[in-house]
Amino acid sequence: MRIVVSGTHASGKTTLIDDLVAAHPEFERWGDPFELVDDALDEPDASTFFEQLVSSARRLMTDAGGRTVVAERGPIDFLAYLGALEALRRGGRSSSLSARGFEVTASAMQRVDLLVVLPLHHRDDLPVGDDEDPELRAAMDEALLELVDDPDLVGEHVRVIEVSGDRATRLAAVERALQG
């Protein structure tokens, strides 16, 4: 089984994955694709997000050897960041990268069983500072929520759940999805 936990930066992905892997030590954890690319930029741009999209898609396409894996972010996250850059008109945006990214993402999503989306909600009380680029954070969240509803991108076999609330509530929602 392949589980992808998606959401904008500072949305609680790492915390949820920490809790999920603690409850299921047999699950293999795949970290944020940000760690897989050389980040020489202070401010990410379209090419950086596209590189992360390709890296995350590539790892989803590898054989997991029958293990359950939990990936922090998938290519859909980086496609959403590309869309956010377009919406905000910044960051070396590129519609050609978005179009190529759509195809790569759609292909990789065929290998995902469960997509856990962490939308931003003011009631979740996840504090973030100005250094987290709140404008990009909000634009990515909006783009992601649109993308997860696209059957041409996500496919019909991927189970998509949106989870919010405190740590225990989020974990319980994922546990229910795993059992159902």
Side-chain angles (χ1 to χ4, degrees):
M1 173 178 251
R2 291 174 198 266
I3 304 165
V4 173
V5 178
S6 292
T8 192
H9 50 288
S11 62
K13 295 177 304 299
T14 302
T15 302
L16 176 59
I17 293 170
D18 287 344
D19 294 344
L20 185 59
V21 171
H24 298 276
E26 71 277 13
F27 288 4
E28 182 177 334
R29 178 191 197 133
W30 289 351
D32 193 322
F34 181 78
E35 301 163 6
L36 302 175
V37 299
D38 180 26
D39 180 48
L41 297 173
D42 289 335
E43 193 171 318
D45 65 5
S47 64
T48 304
F49 287 132
F50 185 76
E51 187 177 350
Q52 291 175 75
L53 184 154
V54 170
S55 293
S56 63
R58 194 173 292 136
R59 74 178 178 180
L60 285 173
M61 300 302 285
T62 63
D63 182 20
R67 298 178 312 272
T68 296
V69 296
V70 182
E72 184 168 349
R73 297 188 189 257
I76 198 167
D77 291 79
F78 302 106
L79 188 60
Y81 274 115
L82 289 171
L85 291 179
E86 288 284 332
L88 297 173
R89 301 189 176 287
R90 64 169 153 146
R93 62 194 184 277
S94 168
S95 58
S96 67
L97 287 180
S98 294
R100 287 176 31 212
F102 189 95
E103 297 304 319
V104 171
T105 300
S107 179
M109 290 303 294
Q110 294 177 19
R111 303 291 300 269
V112 174
D113 299 297
L114 176 63
L115 177 62
V116 179
V117 181
L118 302 176
L120 293 181
H121 294 292
H122 66 280
R123 67 180 180 273
D124 290 344
D125 294 327
L126 296 172
V128 296
D130 287 341
D131 61 327
E132 292 289 347
D133 194 346
E135 185 180 46
L136 179 62
R137 184 174 182 250
M140 184 283 195
D141 181 65
E142 185 177 323
L144 179 64
L145 294 177
E146 288 180 24
L147 292 172
V148 301
D149 286 335
D150 186 338
D152 293 331
L153 182 65
V154 176
E156 295 186 16
H157 77 284
V158 179
R159 183 163 182 207
V160 179
I161 62 168
E162 290 184 20
V163 299
S164 59
D166 63 21
R167 287 177 79 160
T169 302
R170 288 177 181 215
L171 179 61
V174 175
E175 291 287 359
R176 282 191 304 275
L178 291 174
Q179 295 178 7

